[in-house]
Amino acid sequence: MATTVHAVRTPWKDRDSIVWATILGTLFVLLYISVFKGLALQWWNDPDYTHGFFVPLFSCFALWRERKRWMAVEIRPNNFGLLVMIGAVGLLLLGSLGAELFTSRFSLIVLLAGMILFLAGSQMLRAVAFPLAFLIFMIPIPAIIYNQITFPLQLLASRVAAFWLELVNVPVLRDGNVLVLSNYSLEVVEACSGIRSLLTLISLAIIYGYLAESRRWVHWVLAILMVPIAIISNAFRIVGAGLIAHRFGPEAAEGFLHTFSGWAIFVVALLALLSCHWILRHVGKRDTETAHA
């Protein structure tokens, strides 16, 4: 009795797939060359997004690391991907005409998703979902959302810092986001709001969780925990500046020590991330041992 064998289409054996991939790849580069240039310039000039250079590199690494998974997926092109690509181009035009950088930049990820769906199907899109979704961290958030986030963070950081300074008997008067000491006025500006470390630390938490932990729920918990860790770490930095200014004078709280404290607090936040993972790992082991008991 004859057995029918269904061949699995692969992009490197299907001439049509290669042609379509070449055409779409060329159009992708032509459409988004100015977007890539704008992103690179902002990553270089904006201290809040210097981590943007590493995001596509890590996505490529994650794609390579998962190669056995997505290479085993059967290629089933889905024409719905064409509609997704048209929608992405519409977002690009809308963002360009409205001078809204986030919309045009976000359309890049939408177009990539549409291309994958059109050329390889929904199963392939699911297989590469994580590397694709991680690219969102390379796109600066819209200015209107950025401003809505930074000012509350400034107020929160100044409140926490004022509370801790009072605990260590440093006289302080808080006026909004300004901490008035006996010999120094410390203003918690946007750069000190914690937004810079928050965006970078969340990205690092996701990378660390992906590399060091197999449980999905731990990935989410680590990423969420980075929000209070970043806020508290930044408040510690402000407290440190206040203590130094109170004890040694305003000049000591500026310059090199201000820059060094930023790196020191960043290291402290990473150590807090490792500590949280250690706790979660041991909680998971304890739950497993209890279940088997």
Side-chain angles (χ1 to χ4, degrees), residues 88-129:
V89 175
L91 286 175
L92 175 63
L93 293 175
L94 184 64
S96 301
L97 294 175
E100 176 50 58
L101 293 176
F102 179 81
T103 302
S104 57
R105 291 167 174 176
F106 180 72
S107 69
L108 184 154
I109 300 176
V110 178
L111 183 62
L112 285 175
M115 290 171 60
I116 295 170
L117 184 62
F118 179 71
L119 292 172
S122 58
Q123 291 185 10
M124 180 65 75
L125 185 59
R126 285 194 294 270
V128 299

Side-chain angles (χ1 to χ4, degrees), residues 198-254:
L198 178 61
L199 296 172
T200 304
L201 287 171
I202 290 177
S203 302
L204 287 176
I206 293 175
I207 292 173
Y208 174 78
Y210 173 77
L211 295 175
E213 181 59 59
S214 59
R215 293 169 294 176
R216 292 287 181 87
W217 68 270
V218 176
H219 297 177
W220 286 101
V221 171
L222 289 176
I224 293 171
L225 283 176
M226 288 314 300
V227 176
I229 288 175
I231 293 172
I232 294 172
S233 300
N234 187 63
F236 267 121
R237 182 186 183 187
I238 298 170
V239 171
L243 287 173
I244 293 173
H246 177 71
R247 179 65 65 90
F248 303 105
E251 295 80 9
E254 300 174 354

Side-chain angles (χ1 to χ4, degrees), residues 6-284:
H6 297 281
V8 176
R9 290 179 55 197
T10 53
W12 53 86
K13 292 181 181 179
D14 192 321
R15 187 191 304 178
D16 291 341
S17 296
I18 295 175
V19 171
W20 273 110
T22 303
I23 293 173
L24 292 177
T26 303
L27 291 175
F28 176 77
V29 173
L30 293 176
L31 284 173
Y32 285 93
I33 187 168
S34 61
V35 175
F36 287 127
K37 182 179 178 180
L39 275 172
L41 287 174
Q42 186 163 357
W43 295 341
W44 183 262
N45 296 312
D46 191 343
D48 292 347
Y49 293 99
T50 51
H51 65 275
F53 286 105
F54 302 99
V55 171
L57 294 177
F58 176 76
S59 289
C60 291
F61 167 76
L63 193 64
W64 174 82
R65 193 169 186 254
E66 299 286 340
R67 63 191 183 280
K68 290 183 179 180
R69 179 185 176 190
W70 57 262
M71 288 180 68
V73 172
E74 183 179 356
I75 304 299
R76 292 184 176 180
N78 190 328
N79 290 333
F80 182 73
L82 184 61
L83 296 178
V84 176
M85 287 189 289
I86 294 173
V89 175
L91 286 175
L92 175 63
L93 293 175
L94 184 64
S96 301
L97 294 175
E100 176 50 58
L101 293 176
F102 179 81
T103 302
S104 57
R105 291 167 174 176
F106 180 72
S107 69
L108 184 154
I109 300 176
V110 178
L111 183 62
L112 285 175
M115 290 171 60
I116 295 170
L117 184 62
F118 179 71
L119 292 172
S122 58
Q123 291 185 10
M124 180 65 75
L125 185 59
R126 285 194 294 270
V128 299
F130 174 73
L132 183 64
F134 188 76
L135 291 175
I136 192 68
F137 286 98
M138 74 178 183
I139 302 176
I141 60 179
I144 186 172
I145 297 178
Y146 181 89
N147 294 331
Q148 291 292 324
I149 295 174
T150 52
F151 188 64
L153 285 177
Q154 287 173 258
L155 294 178
L156 179 60
S158 59
R159 287 195 191 100
V160 175
F163 175 76
W164 284 340
L165 285 170
E166 290 175 349
L167 284 181
V168 294
N169 297 320
V170 175
V172 58
L173 174 65
R174 187 178 69 86
D175 182 13
N177 63 321
V178 179
L179 302 179
V180 182
L181 307 176
S182 59
N183 60 342
Y184 187 59
S185 291
L186 181 62
E187 182 180 2
V188 183
V189 295
E190 285 187 0
C192 298
S193 65
I195 186 67
R196 183 179 304 174
S197 57
L198 178 61
L199 296 172
T200 304
L201 287 171
I202 290 177
S203 302
L204 287 176
I206 293 175
I207 292 173
Y208 174 78
Y210 173 77
L211 295 175
E213 181 59 59
S214 59
R215 293 169 294 176
R216 292 287 181 87
W217 68 270
V218 176
H219 297 177
W220 286 101
V221 171
L222 289 176
I224 293 171
L225 283 176
M226 288 314 300
V227 176
I229 288 175
I231 293 172
I232 294 172
S233 300
N234 187 63
F236 267 121
R237 182 186 183 187
I238 298 170
V239 171
L243 287 173
I244 293 173
H246 177 71
R247 179 65 65 90
F248 303 105
E251 295 80 9
E254 300 174 354
F256 171 76
L257 284 178
H258 184 269
T259 304
F260 177 77
S261 65
W263 285 103
I265 292 302
F266 188 78
V267 172
V268 170
L270 291 180
L271 291 175
L273 171 65
L274 296 176
S275 300
C276 290
H277 183 218
W278 183 86
I279 294 171
L280 291 172
R281 187 163 49 193
H282 281 72
V283 168

